Short mmCIF file of all heavy atoms in Angstrom, two decimals:
data_model
loop_
_atom_site.label_atom_id
_atom_site.label_comp_id
_atom_site.label_asym_id
_atom_site.label_seq_id
_atom_site.Cartn_x
_atom_site.Cartn_y
_atom_site.Cartn_z
N VAL A 298 -119.15 -70.05 63.16
CA VAL A 298 -119.41 -71.26 63.91
C VAL A 298 -120.92 -71.43 63.99
O VAL A 298 -121.64 -70.47 64.26
CB VAL A 298 -118.83 -71.08 65.34
CG1 VAL A 298 -119.61 -71.87 66.35
CG2 VAL A 298 -117.37 -71.43 65.37
N VAL A 299 -121.41 -72.63 63.69
CA VAL A 299 -122.84 -72.93 63.86
C VAL A 299 -122.92 -74.13 64.79
O VAL A 299 -122.24 -75.12 64.57
CB VAL A 299 -123.52 -73.25 62.52
CG1 VAL A 299 -124.95 -73.73 62.74
CG2 VAL A 299 -123.50 -72.04 61.61
N TYR A 300 -123.72 -74.00 65.84
CA TYR A 300 -123.89 -75.17 66.71
C TYR A 300 -125.37 -75.46 66.94
O TYR A 300 -126.21 -74.56 66.96
CB TYR A 300 -123.10 -75.05 68.00
CG TYR A 300 -123.41 -73.88 68.91
CD1 TYR A 300 -124.42 -73.96 69.87
CD2 TYR A 300 -122.66 -72.72 68.83
CE1 TYR A 300 -124.67 -72.91 70.73
CE2 TYR A 300 -122.92 -71.66 69.69
CZ TYR A 300 -123.93 -71.76 70.63
OH TYR A 300 -124.18 -70.71 71.47
N GLU A 301 -125.67 -76.76 67.09
CA GLU A 301 -127.04 -77.24 67.27
C GLU A 301 -127.04 -78.39 68.26
O GLU A 301 -127.72 -79.38 68.07
CB GLU A 301 -127.63 -77.71 65.94
CG GLU A 301 -127.70 -76.60 64.89
CD GLU A 301 -128.26 -77.07 63.56
OE1 GLU A 301 -127.50 -77.61 62.75
OE2 GLU A 301 -129.47 -76.88 63.32
N THR A 302 -126.19 -78.25 69.31
CA THR A 302 -125.95 -79.36 70.22
C THR A 302 -126.13 -78.88 71.66
O THR A 302 -125.60 -77.84 72.05
CB THR A 302 -124.50 -79.87 70.04
OG1 THR A 302 -124.24 -79.98 68.64
CG2 THR A 302 -124.30 -81.21 70.69
N SER A 303 -126.83 -79.70 72.45
CA SER A 303 -127.09 -79.33 73.83
C SER A 303 -125.90 -79.69 74.73
O SER A 303 -125.07 -80.54 74.38
CB SER A 303 -128.36 -80.03 74.35
OG SER A 303 -128.09 -81.39 74.61
N VAL A 304 -125.84 -79.02 75.88
CA VAL A 304 -124.84 -79.28 76.92
C VAL A 304 -125.58 -79.88 78.12
O VAL A 304 -126.54 -79.26 78.60
CB VAL A 304 -124.15 -77.97 77.34
CG1 VAL A 304 -123.20 -78.20 78.49
CG2 VAL A 304 -123.45 -77.31 76.16
N PRO A 305 -125.14 -81.02 78.67
CA PRO A 305 -124.01 -81.84 78.22
C PRO A 305 -124.44 -83.04 77.37
O PRO A 305 -123.59 -83.82 76.97
CB PRO A 305 -123.43 -82.35 79.55
CG PRO A 305 -124.64 -82.54 80.41
CD PRO A 305 -125.64 -81.48 79.99
N ASP A 306 -125.75 -83.18 77.10
CA ASP A 306 -126.25 -84.43 76.49
C ASP A 306 -125.97 -84.56 75.00
O ASP A 306 -126.16 -85.64 74.44
CB ASP A 306 -127.77 -84.56 76.72
CG ASP A 306 -128.12 -84.60 78.20
OD1 ASP A 306 -127.24 -85.03 78.99
OD2 ASP A 306 -129.22 -84.18 78.57
N ARG A 307 -125.62 -83.48 74.35
CA ARG A 307 -125.36 -83.49 72.90
C ARG A 307 -126.57 -83.93 72.09
O ARG A 307 -126.45 -84.62 71.08
CB ARG A 307 -124.13 -84.37 72.57
CG ARG A 307 -122.87 -83.81 73.21
CD ARG A 307 -121.66 -84.65 72.90
NE ARG A 307 -120.46 -84.02 73.47
CZ ARG A 307 -119.42 -83.58 72.77
NH1 ARG A 307 -119.41 -83.71 71.47
NH2 ARG A 307 -118.39 -83.02 73.37
N THR A 308 -127.76 -83.53 72.57
CA THR A 308 -128.97 -83.75 71.77
C THR A 308 -129.21 -82.49 70.94
O THR A 308 -128.46 -81.51 71.05
CB THR A 308 -130.17 -84.02 72.70
OG1 THR A 308 -130.27 -82.95 73.63
CG2 THR A 308 -129.99 -85.34 73.45
N SER A 309 -130.29 -82.51 70.14
CA SER A 309 -130.48 -81.38 69.22
C SER A 309 -130.90 -80.13 69.99
O SER A 309 -131.61 -80.19 71.00
CB SER A 309 -131.45 -81.75 68.12
OG SER A 309 -132.76 -81.43 68.51
N PHE A 310 -130.45 -79.01 69.51
CA PHE A 310 -130.61 -77.72 70.18
C PHE A 310 -130.85 -76.70 69.07
O PHE A 310 -130.29 -76.85 67.98
CB PHE A 310 -129.32 -77.41 70.96
CG PHE A 310 -129.33 -76.13 71.73
CD1 PHE A 310 -129.88 -76.08 73.00
CD2 PHE A 310 -128.79 -74.97 71.18
CE1 PHE A 310 -129.88 -74.89 73.72
CE2 PHE A 310 -128.80 -73.78 71.90
CZ PHE A 310 -129.34 -73.74 73.17
#
Side-chain angles (χ1 to χ4, degrees):
V298 150
V299 173
Y300 59 88
E301 299 179 277
T302 315
S303 75
V304 176
D306 300 333
R307 297 180 176 242
T308 54
S309 90
F310 181 84

